[in-house]
Amino acid sequence: MKISDKAIGYFSLLALLGLFAGIAYGMFEAHEKVTYKAYVDFKELGSLQPEDPVVIRGYTVGTIGKVTWLGDRARVEIKFDEPRTIREGTKFNNVNYAIMGQRRLEIVPNKNGKVLPEDFIHQGNFEPGIAEALRYMEDVNEQLNHVREVITLITEGDSTHKSVKEIYETVMQTTEGILDNADKTLDKLSPAIKQLVGQLNQAANSVADMANQVDTTVKVTTDALNEKIAQADSAIHAITEGTKKAEQIIATIESTPAVDKLLNTKDLVDRANDLVKKTQALIAAIDTKGVKMYDDQGKEVRLFTWKNTNLIGKTAREKAKLRAEKGESLPDSGPAESE
């Protein structure tokens, strides 16, 4: 089969395209293998965006890759054109380098720090530029407008608020009225105040007199109390002396031979027994039938006599009571009347 020149041309063209594609892919793979990446966090990003340049001492060494927003900060990926060694202490500054607000990332390397790994998260510094200054100026102008409105409201007022001048005049009028009323009130209260002061002076004098009287009373009471305390001490001393004397008497009695004989002999007991026997004999001598009593010799003893018996008049006890009520004294001699 004979191949035409046209087909040979197509095949040649495809072969060249494939060769160029392979070379390009190989260069891309080689570039990807040697590219070194770094990650920097910024609290404020400004207008920095992907493909913005990354420079060291003014020379471009890479570009900004992917930018990720993490809520309170932005994480920026840096793609270097060639491998770079980043040490501890290296600074990453987000700066404005053009009049239209363009930004780039400037790296200030440190040669003496410890080498950091590729996945280490660096902290970047944001430097305000022209755009930020213009934004700040807008904020300042807005604040100045608010201040101007407040000043206008204070000086001139509006439909719902009075001006400072009007408020001042109102306050001054109110103050003058209060002072006038206060003067009038003081004039009215002056007599009452004088009377009150006089009463206070009189009360103070009375309190002073009362204090003097209280001092005198306290002194008298104290003297009387001291006297009673002295009497109580004397009584206690007398009781103590009496107790000592009683103890001495008891000791004397215990040491007396007669008392010892009385306590240790049976004479008193024998006499008591003899008295009991005589009492029993006397009871036995009573004639229960005739209610009679006889003595030791057998003679009858009368239990009741009519002598000195008063059945009609007052008894001797009643008469004695009567004389005691009248304040009379008892007779010196003579036997007492019996009931």
Side-chain angles (χ1 to χ4, degrees):
M1 180 178 176
K2 188 177 179 180
I3 300 175
S4 63
D5 296 336
K6 187 177 182 179
I8 294 173
Y10 285 142
F11 283 122
S12 300
L13 181 59
L14 290 175
L16 291 174
L17 290 176
L19 179 63
F20 286 130
I23 294 171
Y25 180 76
M27 293 177 63
F28 176 77
E29 287 291 332
H31 179 73
E32 285 293 324
K33 289 181 180 179
V34 300
T35 300
Y36 185 90
K37 295 181 179 180
Y39 298 92
V40 185
D41 285 352
F42 290 95
K43 293 182 179 180
E44 187 174 354
L45 191 61
S47 60
L48 187 68
Q49 57 188 350
E51 300 302 328
D52 282 346
V54 177
V55 299
I56 297 178
R57 298 185 184 90
Y59 294 97
T60 301
V61 294
T63 58
I64 300 296
K66 183 174 62 174
V67 177
T68 306
W69 179 249
L70 301 179
D72 59 340
R73 64 191 185 278
R75 180 162 296 173
V76 176
E77 180 187 43
I78 301 175
K79 293 182 177 180
F80 292 103
D81 296 335
E82 57 184 14
R84 293 284 175 181
T85 300
I86 299 178
R87 298 178 179 273
E88 187 176 10
T90 301
K91 296 181 180 180
F92 298 84
N93 299 324
N94 183 356
V95 299
N96 179 208
Y97 70 98
I99 194 172
M100 299 303 294
Q102 295 90 339
R103 286 191 166 271
R104 68 185 181 185
L105 185 61
E106 293 184 355
I107 300 176
V108 180
N110 183 19
K111 297 181 179 180
N112 299 323
K114 180 179 67 175
V115 177
L116 298 175
E118 182 179 355
D119 57 351
F120 184 82
I121 305 301
H122 305 275
Q123 299 298 321
N125 302 318
F126 178 81
E127 296 182 1
I130 297 176
E132 286 73 27
L134 293 175
R135 187 184 65 187
Y136 294 151
M137 290 300 296
E138 292 178 358
D139 293 338
V140 171
N141 290 331
E142 186 177 357
Q143 295 297 327
L144 290 176
N145 290 330
H146 288 304
V147 172
R148 184 173 62 254
E149 291 176 359
V150 171
I151 293 174
T152 303
L153 179 62
I154 292 173
T155 55
E156 298 180 1
D158 57 8
S159 59
T160 57
H161 299 85
K162 294 182 179 180
S163 64
V164 174
K165 182 179 179 181
E166 294 175 352
I167 296 174
Y168 176 76
E169 291 177 354
T170 303
V171 171
M172 290 303 297
Q173 291 176 0
T174 304
T175 304
E176 290 176 357
I178 292 172
L179 293 175
D180 292 339
N181 291 330
D183 292 337
K184 294 178 181 179
T185 304
L186 288 175
D187 292 338
K188 292 180 180 179
L189 293 177
S190 180
I193 292 173
K194 291 181 180 179
Q195 183 178 1
L196 179 60
V197 172
Q199 292 177 359
L200 290 175
N201 292 331
Q202 184 178 1
N205 295 330
S206 300
V207 170
D209 296 338
M210 187 180 295
N212 294 330
Q213 294 178 3
V214 168
D215 291 339
T216 304
T217 304
V218 169
K219 183 177 181 181
V220 173
T221 304
T222 304
D223 296 338
L225 183 61
N226 292 332
E227 183 179 357
K228 295 300 181 182
I229 291 173
Q231 292 178 2
D233 292 338
S234 300
I236 293 171
H237 181 70
I239 291 172
T240 304
E241 293 294 332
T243 304
K244 291 181 180 179
K245 291 182 179 179
E247 291 177 353
Q248 292 177 359
I249 292 172
I250 292 171
T252 303
I253 290 173
E254 289 178 352
S255 62
T256 302
V259 175
D260 182 67
K261 181 178 181 182
L262 179 63
L263 296 175
N264 296 325
T265 60
K266 296 182 178 181
D267 292 344
L268 184 60
V269 177
D270 294 338
R271 292 179 184 178
N273 290 332
D274 185 35
L275 180 60
V276 171
K277 290 179 181 180
K278 289 182 179 181
T279 304
Q280 291 176 352
L282 179 61
I283 293 171
I286 296 174
D287 186 4
T288 57
K289 294 181 179 181
V291 192
K292 296 179 181 180
M293 184 178 290
Y294 300 90
D295 57 8
D296 294 340
Q297 298 178 2
K299 294 181 179 182
E300 183 180 355
V301 178
R302 294 183 180 274
L303 299 175
F304 181 79
T305 61
W306 291 99
K307 187 179 180 180
N308 297 328
T309 303
N310 188 359
L311 299 176
I312 298 173
K314 297 180 179 179
T315 62
R317 183 177 297 175
E318 292 175 350
K319 292 178 180 180
K321 183 177 180 182
L322 215 93
R323 285 196 300 270
E325 290 177 355
K326 292 180 179 181
E328 298 178 359
S329 61
L330 295 174
D332 298 331
S333 61
E337 295 182 357
S338 62
E339 294 180 9

